[in-house]
Amino acid sequence: MEFKQVIETRRSIRAFTDRDVSDEQVLQLLEWAHAAPSGGNLRPWEYIVVRSQAQKEAIAAATFCGNDDRAPATQKWLAAAPVVVVAVGLPAKIEARYGKTCIPAQALLYQDCGAMIENFLLGAVALGLGSCYIAGFREKELSQTLGLPEEVIPVAILPLGHPAQPGVERPRSPVGSILHHETY
Ligand SMILES: Cc1cc2nc3c(=O)[nH]c(=O)nc-3n(C[C@H](O)[C@H](O)[C@H](O)COP(=O)(O)O)c2cc1C
């Protein structure tokens, strides 16, 4: 698939068919994600690949809808994906290089992980798959579900599968309306 087509057809996919995703496809996506640029080349991330239905449902139970983390509704649709990848971050890697004060480790961590996750999302399109960046989760609860050590934090849940239907095109403001030249 052409790069232009990958960029222009990527959508958040929230419904999947029953068709499986192979381990090779998952590994390919993680290779592409791991190839992303990263401050100081630290790559402060790791991945957890989940296929068990019970674990996918436990992950979904740690999510919420909207921006209220106490909202009772969860994003249970994600448990229907054949594979769920959870990207986790290791701020200690950043602190070990840059210290605790100079650059806020968490800020750099999320910038790094954003670049890495975009590679994953675009790679999914290139493989004919769909995914969605999910950050609406209760961090402590998800960490417990995944058995994360204290120094590892969950960054994104990435359900992965074959889209059940094409994603909906969300509106964007024209680039011209957010473009400045020389100064703001
Ligand atoms: C940091 C971040 C967090 C997001 N969290 C969620 C989420 O918790 N649940 C969800 O369904 N979509 C989530 N999204 C997806 C956005 O809703 C989606 O990207 C946006 O509506 C634009 O649609 P598109 O991805 O189809 O272009 C998230 C996206 C980003 C970048």
Side-chain angles (χ1 to χ4, degrees):
M1 194 185 275
E2 292 272 328
F3 180 69
K4 175 179 155 60
Q5 198 187 350
V6 170
I7 291 278
E8 290 178 357
T9 61
R10 187 211 57 79
R11 306 272 181 271
S12 289
I13 298 298
R14 299 182 178 88
F16 304 93
T17 69
D18 291 339
R19 201 171 146 198
D20 204 1
V21 172
S22 69
D23 288 336
E24 290 71 27
Q25 287 174 308
V26 175
L27 199 60
Q28 172 67 86
L29 278 182
L30 298 182
E31 295 281 359
W32 287 339
H34 195 54
S38 163
N41 196 28
L42 292 173
R43 286 159 213 287
W45 53 65
E46 294 186 11
Y47 307 104
I48 301 171
V49 175
V50 177
R51 286 188 179 273
S52 116
Q53 193 55 36
Q55 184 66 334
K56 285 188 281 185
E57 281 167 19
I59 290 169
T63 64
F64 56 88
C65 297
N67 63 358
D68 178 2
D69 69 355
R70 291 158 307 169
T74 64
Q75 302 191 50
K76 55 176 183 255
W77 57 268
L78 76 87
V83 181
V84 172
V85 175
V86 183
V88 298
L90 292 81
K93 273 196 168 184
I94 298 171
E95 287 173 5
R97 170 79 65 89
Y98 296 120
K100 284 197 184 216
T101 50
C102 176
I103 302 172
Q106 289 237 350
L108 190 51
L109 180 81
Y110 285 105
Q111 292 179 56
D112 271 345
C113 287
M116 176 274 286
I117 290 163
E118 180 68 348
N119 272 18
F120 180 97
L121 298 175
L122 294 175
V125 178
L127 295 183
L129 302 171
S131 186
C132 181
Y133 190 144
I134 297 180
F137 54 79
R138 288 176 287 275
E139 195 176 302
K140 273 198 185 143
E141 201 177 315
L142 184 58
S143 297
Q144 225 166 25
T145 297
L146 297 168
L148 299 185
E150 207 164 301
E151 66 279 11
V152 178
I153 56 178
V155 172
I157 303 170
L158 303 164
L160 179 68
H162 292 266
Q165 63 235 2
V168 179
E169 186 171 357
R170 302 299 307 276
R172 264 105 173 119
S173 52
V175 173
S177 70
I178 53 161
L179 174 66
H180 310 270
H181 292 284
E182 316 309 337
T183 62
Y184 189 88

